[in-house]
């Protein structure tokens, strides 16, 4: 959990500073995989509005990054977050989308 918290904090800081890198995305994905043991459908059980705000920030950032690079955010991401805001698969989908965009613009 410590690796996930550290990677997620670094990721969120990078979003705020506009300094997101593929390496940060990879680190966060590795931490998620380690946390859930590679299982699908993993859910983070964090209560309260703070986590929902974080999830919304990640989703919104993905949407803005997509639009800024002339792409459309896949509807699957938005729908997944709406149905299951604590499901880590939505976070993974956002990370994958962000990585693909960063690779294309690099």
């Amino acid at each position: 959990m410590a690796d996930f918290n550290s990677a997620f904090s670094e990721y969120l800081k990078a979003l705020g500073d506009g300094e997101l890198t593929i390496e940060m995305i990879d680190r966060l994905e590795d931490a998620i995989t380690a946390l859930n043991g590679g299982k699908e459908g993993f859910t983070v059980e964090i209560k309260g509005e703070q986590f929902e705000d974080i999830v919304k920030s990640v989703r919104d950032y993905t949407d803005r990054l997509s639009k800024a690079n002339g792409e459309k955010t896949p509807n699957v991401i938005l729908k997944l977050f709406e149905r299951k805001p604590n499901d880590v698969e939505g976070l993974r989908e956002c990370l994958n989308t962000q990585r693909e965009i960063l690779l294309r613009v690099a």
Side-chain angles (χ1 to χ4, degrees), residues 3-18:
D3 286 342
F4 173 78
N5 287 338
S6 174
F8 202 51
S9 293
E10 178 183 331
Y11 169 85
L12 292 173
K13 182 175 181 336
L15 291 186
D17 294 344

Side-chain angles (χ1 to χ4, degrees), residues 1 10 14 16 21 24 37 40 44-46 49 53 56 59-61 68 73 76-77 81 84 90 97 102-103:
M1 189 68 172
E10 178 183 331
T21 66
M24 288 176 193
E40 295 292 323
V44 176
E45 294 297 331
I46 300 174
E49 291 180 20
D53 289 344
K56 184 179 183 308
R59 184 194 66 207
D60 291 348
Y61 179 82
T73 306
V76 67
I77 292 174
F81 270 128
K84 298 179 178 181
T97 299
L102 292 176
L103 285 170

Side-chain angles (χ1 to χ4, degrees), residues 73-93:
T73 306
N75 286 337
V76 67
I77 292 174
L78 301 178
K79 289 179 182 174
L80 185 54
F81 270 128
E82 288 170 10
R83 284 185 290 130
K84 298 179 178 181
N86 292 354
D87 191 324
V88 175
E89 292 309 311
L91 176 57
R92 283 182 191 224
E93 287 293 325

